[in-house]
Amino acid sequence: MPRPIRTSRPAALPALALAAFVAIACASGAGATDPRWPATRTGIMPFSDQFGQVTDAQLRFAATHFAGVQKMTASQTAVLKAANPAFIVLNYRLGNGIGIDTLIVEGDRWVPEYPGDAALQEQWFWHDPATGRRVVNTDWGWYLMNVGDAGWRAWYHDTVLAQLRMNGNDGVFLDSINVPNFLGAAEAWEPDLPAYDPPFEAMWTEMIRGHIAYLAGHELGRYLLVPNVGGWINGREDMSYFDEADGVWVEGFALWGDDAPLPEGDWQLQLNRVLRATRNGQAVITQSYVDGDRARTFATGSFLLAKGDHSYIILQGGAAMDWPAQYEIPIGAPVDRPAGDIRTYDPDGDGVYVRQFDNATVYVNARGPDDGGRRVSIQTAGWLALAEGSGRVEVDGSEASAVGYRQVDRIELDPISAAIVFRARP
């Protein structure tokens, strides 16, 4: 069936009225989500990693379609906030280090994150115990810092706080804040870090826990703290060191790329950690680097299995401001609260996970060929959602994206795929 196309659509949140987007959903406090996060129980609400070079018309589109973004100048933030005061803008900073060539935003300028040796004290750097040298991440070009040092914590807090005020930000995205030898192979560091060292990992776990608690307990705690937790598939990782954060950003969600799915065991671990964060009252942003429709739909189906009341999705392709049709699927609200274990949605243990929404059913086949995955035939009557095309947002703020539907009485789920079937045609 041909996919319906709209060449210019009104600025309206997908499946949510703008009034609901702006509304405060819950009170803050222990176990409660910060009220600045817009509610997402009904529908699919996207976030964005960054927009790049965009027009004011594209920014106005973004303000009424996305929940938020990071890496914006103060002038761009002003345009977004004028269109939607509840729109969230995060500033980018490394959480465990300081970038040698990394650029960050200060007002309307992009400036080096590294301020020069004169502004920093040598004890703030992490040093290799054998050689006394500073440790550098050679993959991305940043110094590893001693986040347990009181002077570093104070300098970092005050510097980031000043930037948030200057930029008009709502919070900070803390990139690469994790036990450092979990951040890639040993050869990604110079000098090398240990590939496996439980005492080293336990020490860094407590230093990171203390660093986040310090930021949350001082003036910066008035802003949203959102660490990038990475893929969250390392079984040695103690998730609780992120518990003081307002939200978590899961990078590499469900699959590393169109043709690089997570093994089912890693996928289960990742989704269970997402479910834990949701039950902990944290907002969750999932980011998948996908461009093909099948991969996008699989990432979307995985997201819906773990979706809570403050869950946001990023399907990042090649365009500066993508609007994949998956964002427009009118999923409604789940009929249950998020499960304690993702396997709850696969009671038969066959790798097909099912979650009910008030007007549709989500099916996810999480097994790939290496996990014994196979095509699964499911007898179900309804209307299969067909989300195709990237839906690039044009410079005038218009976009061409829609969801088609095909009536079915059976669906075929290939390995690493998902399907969303509505009981009545939307």
Side-chain angles (χ1 to χ4, degrees), residues 254-329:
L255 62 180
W256 296 119
D258 283 21
D259 299 313
L262 296 180
E264 187 186 12
D266 287 347
W267 179 90
Q268 288 176 335
L269 177 61
Q270 185 185 71
L271 267 71
N272 277 336
R273 289 177 164 179
V274 167
L275 288 167
R276 180 187 181 278
T278 298
R279 296 194 309 275
N280 192 41
Q282 294 171 293
V284 176
I285 301 168
T286 66
Q287 182 174 18
S288 304
Y289 294 100
V290 288
D291 198 41
D293 286 316
R294 176 172 164 178
R296 283 174 173 158
T297 301
F298 176 73
T300 302
S302 300
F303 166 80
L304 292 173
L305 290 176
K307 181 177 180 292
D309 291 351
H310 299 89
S311 301
Y312 312 90
I313 185 173
I314 302 174
L315 301 175
Q316 186 161 343
M321 191 180 291
D322 276 340
W323 187 257
Q326 282 82 359
Y327 290 166
E328 299 217 22
I329 296 175

Side-chain angles (χ1 to χ4, degrees), residues 384-423:
L384 176 66
L386 303 172
E388 302 172 355
S390 66
R392 177 192 294 268
V393 181
E394 304 297 339
V395 294
D396 63 357
S398 63
E399 55 87 14
S401 180
V403 182
Y405 300 91
R406 184 177 73 238
Q407 195 166 18
V408 297
D409 55 20
R410 180 179 297 274
I411 57 173
E412 303 292 334
L413 276 181
D414 289 329
I416 311 298
S417 68
I420 301 171
V421 180
F422 289 80
R423 285 176 280 282

